[in-house]
Amino acid sequence: MTNEHRAKENHLLSVLPDAEWARLAAHLVPVNMPLGQVVYESDANVENVYFPRTAVVSMLHLMHDGTPAEIAIVGNEGLVGIALFMGGETMPNRAIVQSAGQAYRLDARILKEEFDRAGPVQRLLLRYTQALITQMAQTVVCNQHHSMDQQMCRWLLLSVDRLPLDEQKMTVELIANMLGIPRAGMTEVAMKLQDAGLVRCSGNHVEVLDRPGLEKRACECYGVVKREFDRLLPDIQAI
């Protein structure tokens, strides 16, 4: 697989130097990730990590009553399973597929060995983790201080950034669950965005029509997260 092809698949893999890519490539297993698949349960051991290609995965905190609250989303910019190399080796949150697609699965032992070399892979994964922590922190800020339509705009923008197409195949109910907003309120928000010409809703299908319009309507949280990812995850020359 050429670097150009890798760049279209997963950003972290696309910027690996050739030597590191060669060591990992033979161990990457293409897998399908259907909508709703639970990738990890809370407190589960990390036996594999996943580099999404076209899938998007939500990181969820489960309340005592089972209510989920999304804390971050991961797509083709990153990987799922950072607990492995942060020392915990178990996931503190549930990870569930919010948009069906494909990913590469990698045995945890292989990635841990590469991380422990203290070379480009370690530096890249630590940068990615810092960017992911920024997303988590900004999600908390957004949920506390911004309106429901601003939250949905942020969420849609982060989602389409992690997909090859500006298209989301999910229900309003799923989006409401991810954002911790009652379905009735989320339906009202979705209709408001549709009336403004920003999205189109049809059954289970939500399509982004006007990305610049969404960015104008979103709060500053989206920009904070995007700038941090752009700053910390540059091209191969900076690793």
Side-chain angles (χ1 to χ4, degrees):
M1 186 183 297
T2 65
N3 282 347
E4 182 180 359
H5 187 196
R6 282 193 271 154
K8 297 177 181 177
E9 300 265 302
N10 178 279
H11 182 76
L12 296 184
L13 296 178
S14 77
V15 300
L16 286 177
D18 290 341
E20 283 69 21
W21 165 250
R23 287 196 294 269
L24 293 182
H27 303 284
L28 294 171
V29 180
V31 295
N32 290 320
M33 304 190 84
L35 178 65
Q37 175 189 350
V38 177
V39 183
Y40 300 114
E41 285 287 7
S42 300
D43 299 324
N45 288 325
V46 179
E47 298 180 355
N48 298 287
V49 297
Y50 296 84
F51 295 87
R53 297 163 58 199
T54 58
V56 176
V57 178
S58 288
M59 309 300 296
L60 304 173
H61 175 75
L62 295 181
M63 308 300 288
H64 288 304
D65 63 0
T67 302
E70 187 178 71
I71 58 175
I73 59 176
V74 179
N76 59 12
E77 89 297 347
L79 85 159
V80 184
I82 65 169
L84 170 72
F85 53 83
M86 296 302 291
E89 299 193 0
T90 59
M91 291 294 292
N93 309 105
R94 173 181 286 180
I96 186 169
V97 178
Q98 76 164 40
S99 185
Q102 292 78 44
Y104 286 118
R105 185 181 69 213
L106 179 66
D107 186 285
R109 176 182 56 83
I110 302 297
L111 187 64
K112 188 69 162 57
E113 289 175 356
E114 193 62 45
F115 184 87
D116 289 343
R117 290 175 183 268
V121 170
Q122 184 185 89
R123 293 193 293 274
L124 180 63
L125 293 181
L126 290 177
R127 286 184 181 188
Y128 170 71
T129 301
Q130 181 176 337
L132 187 63
I133 290 171
T134 298
Q135 185 192 154
M136 292 176 177
Q138 210 64 38
T139 297
V140 173
V141 171
C142 194
N143 291 346
Q144 288 288 325
H145 296 287
H146 297 136
S147 66
M148 287 190 291
D149 64 325
Q150 287 176 317
Q151 291 179 46
M152 187 171 181
C153 289
R154 168 188 59 82
W155 188 87
L156 286 172
L157 288 166
L158 288 175
S159 294
V160 299
D161 280 352
R162 287 151 177 78
L163 285 171
L165 298 173
D166 288 352
E167 190 173 289
Q168 302 295 295
K169 294 182 179 178
M170 60 193 70
T171 63
V172 171
E173 181 178 10
L174 176 62
I175 299 173
N177 286 338
M178 295 299 101
L179 293 177
I181 295 172
R183 176 171 178 168
M186 184 52 62
T187 299
E188 182 179 343
V189 171
M191 292 301 101
K192 188 186 300 184
L193 296 181
Q194 180 168 265
D195 291 343
L198 303 177
V199 303
R200 177 166 54 228
C201 303
S202 177
N204 291 338
H205 191 211
V206 178
E207 181 183 359
V208 173
L209 299 178
D210 183 357
R211 184 193 177 92
L214 278 180
E215 291 186 18
K216 290 179 181 178
R217 192 155 182 152
C219 54
E220 68 267 26
C221 296
Y222 168 70
V224 170
V225 174
K226 187 176 189 309
R227 285 192 298 272
E228 191 70 348
F229 272 91
D230 290 345
R231 181 180 75 86
L232 290 168
L233 300 176
D235 61 23
I236 192 170
Q237 286 76 22
I239 300 304

